[in-house]
Amino acid sequence: MSSKPTILIVEDEVAIITMLRYTLERDGYRIVEARDGEEALIVAAEEAPDLILLDWALPNLSGIEVCRRLRARAESRNTPIIMLTARGEESDRIRGLDTGADDYVVKPFSVTEMSARIRAVLRRIRPALAEETAAFGDIAIDRVARRVRRNNREVHLGPTEYKLLDHLIQHPGRVFSREQLLDAVWGSDVYVEARTVDVHIGRLRKSLIADGERDPIRTVRSAGYSLDEQLKVVERAS
Ligand code: CA
């Protein structure tokens, strides 16, 4: 990653901006801020942020109106937006997601939770912000071109299989339950049966394994799946 991703914080409560700025700068982001809806639209156009944290209740323009206007502009049509909403306003959250927000966080939130949500949203929406390439044993992925190779042969994967593989490669050897993989790949707000994970792992295996090659994915009985650390050992020995 060459430059720091920029996050725009739109919030009229100074204490919240200060807290978020401290944590997110430490996480390696560049922070710009706006105190009301009008300013948010100006700063968003000037700074072209990689992600926007948008408070629901703002002076001048409401968060939802800001979200709608950002989505109407070509340059911010695909910018990830996380809405900050007050506790209990379920209908607001649903309206926020309808208007084009990618996720929402309920106030009061912990900065740790916020920082995890930001990483998850950036990973899901802008994989290019993560490292551009990654490898595990004889498997290599190019996140810019979204290409996968094994033993220098091109492997064609569907979008879900690609995301599964990318997630496993980010945590080599770690065992993930089906529920954890659902959260990471499909998102926690989508209802998918755990069995669906098995189907996609099956497809991923089928695409990755050519004649005589080792299965890179380990099924851990009653726990879930992980990459097989043995693949690295085999690769080094050969
Ligand atoms: Ca507010």
Side-chain angles (χ1 to χ4, degrees):
M1 205 187 320
S2 52
S3 63
K4 291 181 178 180
T6 298
I7 296 179
L8 166 59
I9 304 174
V10 186
E11 170 64 85
D12 56 321
E13 286 171 66
V14 178
I16 293 184
I17 295 189
T18 307
M19 171 183 80
L20 285 172
R21 179 186 277 279
Y22 175 79
T23 307
L24 297 176
E25 282 180 346
R26 202 188 48 194
D27 285 352
Y29 301 106
R30 180 175 157 260
I31 302 302
V32 292
E33 59 183 64
R35 303 292 175 88
D36 64 50
E38 300 278 8
E39 194 187 358
L41 293 171
I42 296 166
V43 178
E46 283 171 353
E47 299 282 346
D50 296 288
L51 182 140
I52 300 171
L53 298 181
L54 180 56
D55 186 31
W56 180 274
L58 288 170
N60 296 336
L61 282 178
S62 71
I64 202 149
E65 184 54 30
V66 173
C67 186
R68 191 173 290 129
R69 294 196 196 181
L70 288 169
R71 285 294 179 246
R73 293 174 173 175
E75 72 273 16
S76 52
R77 184 158 296 143
N78 298 312
T79 307
I81 297 175
I82 300 178
M83 301 269 323
L84 311 180
T85 70
R87 185 178 291 281
E89 290 167 0
E90 188 68 37
S91 60
D92 283 1
R93 276 173 244 154
I94 291 162
R95 262 173 68 211
L97 294 175
D98 280 351
T99 316
D102 296 282
D103 200 355
Y104 60 83
V105 169
V106 180
K107 286 179 178 177
F109 53 83
S110 77
V111 286
T112 318
E113 182 200 354
M114 178 58 91
S115 141
R117 292 289 192 96
I118 289 172
R119 255 178 289 132
V121 167
L122 286 177
R123 233 183 358 241
R124 201 163 71 212
I125 300 170
R126 295 276 177 94
L129 284 175
E131 292 294 319
E132 293 181 354
T133 58
F136 183 85
D138 52 9
I139 300 169
I141 64 175
D142 175 340
R143 294 190 174 113
V144 179
R146 289 181 82 87
R147 278 181 142 157
V148 177
R149 303 184 75 79
R150 183 168 192 193
N151 278 327
N152 291 323
R153 140 187 117 255
E154 183 129 12
V155 176
H156 298 281
L157 297 179
T160 304
E161 286 72 37
Y162 176 87
K163 281 191 239 168
L164 268 173
L165 178 64
D166 193 358
H167 187 70
L168 292 171
I169 280 188
Q170 285 173 45
H171 311 273
R174 187 171 143 196
V175 180
F176 289 97
S177 69
R178 290 168 179 79
E179 289 71 24
Q180 286 169 329
L181 290 173
L182 279 175
D183 271 9
V185 172
W186 282 262
S188 54
D189 43 0
V190 177
Y191 182 77
V192 186
E193 277 182 60
R195 207 177 51 85
T196 307
V197 175
D198 301 338
V199 173
H200 287 277
I201 288 279
R203 287 187 196 154
L204 177 58
R205 278 188 167 128
K206 204 166 167 224
S207 306
L208 283 174
I209 305 169
D211 287 346
E213 281 177 342
R214 192 184 176 94
D215 184 351
I217 299 166
R218 204 158 60 92
T219 303
V220 183
R221 204 175 292 274
S222 80
Y225 297 102
S226 78
L227 285 181
D228 188 352
E229 292 279 59
Q230 287 300 316
L231 188 71
K232 272 190 183 165
V233 179
V234 170
E235 173 68 3
R236 259 182 238 122
S238 63

